[in-house]
Amino acid sequence: MAKQIIRPARTISGSLEVPGDKSISHRYAMLAALAEGTSDITHFSAAADCRSTLDCLSRLGVTVEAKGDRVRVTGAGLGGLRQPRRALDAGNSGTTMRLLAGILSGQEFRSTIDGDGSLRRRPMRRVIDPLTKMGARIRSREGGYAPLEIEGARLSPIEYTLPVPSAQVKSAVLLAGLFTDGVTSVIEPVRTRDHTELALAEFGARLDHDGRAIRIHGRPRLEARSLAVPGDLSSAVFFLIAAMVLPDSSLVIHNAGLNPTRSAVLDVLGSMGAPVSLISVRSSNGELVGDVAVRHEALKGGVIEGDAIAQLIDELPAIAVLGPYTEQGIEIRNAGELRVKESDRIASLAENLRRMGAEVEERPDGLRVAGRSAGRLHGAEIEPHGDHRMAMAFAVAALGAEGETVIRDAECAGVSFPEFFSTLERLVER
Ligand code: S3P
């Protein structure tokens, strides 16, 4: 397994583009697969996770041609997927498994979807329950874990209130709703990312919003589209945090996705004192996109909690490692979901921050990381537990530490951002 050495840096500056948004890439590929005609998707994510989705779609009989960050998908139509010859492999990707579970539930065939060791430990009951209510028969490993064996059926519409704020569960139900003869409703007490809703509307599905309810009308005709994926703000955040770690930094990130259900991280950084500005904000296929400019500022830190957590969930590792560089430190509450991500992110953050000398209090649903007065971080050997966001968060924390840091198993960053380390090296000055 490849190690990555991170030496301390003086500053970070310049401009960059990040790979296409992972969440949006999955959705465009899946809906293009269910549409009629050939969709052309540009700036498609380079993430290994999105390759897993493309690979699963090919195995379902969809024609997928990928060249660099351009992907052409010739859809099979709503009724045209074919039974795969062997188990589908979602790799490390929860989005692939949970969203495809929704689609597979509406097919007339039986299929199996599996994933790597990490994905096999992640809770799938949350999609099994509503999809079973719609009529699918799903067998899992004891406790609701992958592999999932899905026997599709003629699905019936349901009204479903999300028991956990999860865009993946919401999306699984909405996608299954495409295969019903009626109107499926998902009620989300806490708002989560709405890329599925926006993408469904782009492809021609009929959706209504009524307060916290989203209703999808079954059996639409989905039509192929030309789509451009915005840059992944969750990847961009590592660079924004690097600029907060290193004095005199100044960065511009071009074409970043600014969907309001994803951009809460910019508000959090702003409220802690970061000078963040948005330039040339525009709409692209229903998604907001723009350039994000940031300059270094010594941040106050603060508490992150409540409903905001659902809209910041992927950014919390990067925010947490900023704790020792802030005045008051950073406290994260109500974020128990972090324990069921690609790794137990609360435990991994606490363990690795302590290795670097930070003062950390770990709690069941969050953690508190002490601020600057607890002392400067020092280099350490970091164990990311195969979790891409851990590898990247600690690479950024290491830039301001004393001495070298070694990130074990660093290639796991490729799950979302294969060029992360080379991009970081290009922008830092020592
Ligand atoms: C995602 C939703 C979130 C997020 C994940 C991507 C999506 O997961 O953490 O990285 O694309 O819908 P949950 O739905 O489990 O909160």
Side-chain angles (χ1 to χ4, degrees), residues 22-23 26-27 95 98-99 122 126 165-169 171 193 195 313-314 337 341-342 345 389:
K22 193 155 78 81
S23 291
H26 286 296
R27 285 150 171 90
T95 308
R98 296 196 178 112
L99 270 59
R122 297 181 64 189
R126 51 181 68 189
S166 163
Q168 294 178 355
V169 178
S171 303
R193 63 189 70 189
H195 304 303
I313 195 76
D314 291 340
E337 273 291 302
K341 293 292 175 190
E342 288 83 329
R345 287 183 173 161
R389 296 203 202 277

Side-chain angles (χ1 to χ4, degrees), residues 109-140:
F109 52 75
R110 181 195 298 243
S111 53
T112 300
I113 185 158
D114 203 354
D116 68 7
S118 150
L119 192 50
R120 279 180 164 215
R121 287 190 294 275
R122 297 181 64 189
M124 292 299 146
R125 182 97 76 202
R126 51 181 68 189
V127 288
I128 296 173
D129 284 347
L131 296 172
T132 303
K133 284 199 173 89
M134 295 178 85
R137 283 208 296 204
I138 304 182
R139 285 227 314 256
S140 62

Side-chain angles (χ1 to χ4, degrees), residues 272-295:
M272 291 180 183
V276 178
S277 44
L278 304 181
I279 308 155
S280 2
V281 178
R282 62 202 178 275
S283 172
S284 161
N285 305 117
E287 292 280 353
L288 282 187
V289 190
D291 300 343
V292 182
V294 72
R295 274 181 297 105

Side-chain angles (χ1 to χ4, degrees), residues 23 57 97 147 164 181 301 321 333 353 375 378 389 409:
S23 291
L57 295 173
M97 182 168 285
V164 272
D181 287 319
V321 302
R333 298 184 189 146
L353 276 164
H378 54 72
R389 296 203 202 277
D409 185 17

Side-chain angles (χ1 to χ4, degrees), residues 165-181:
S166 163
Q168 294 178 355
V169 178
K170 168 176 66 175
S171 303
V173 178
L174 292 175
L175 291 170
L178 291 173
F179 300 93
T180 72
D181 287 319

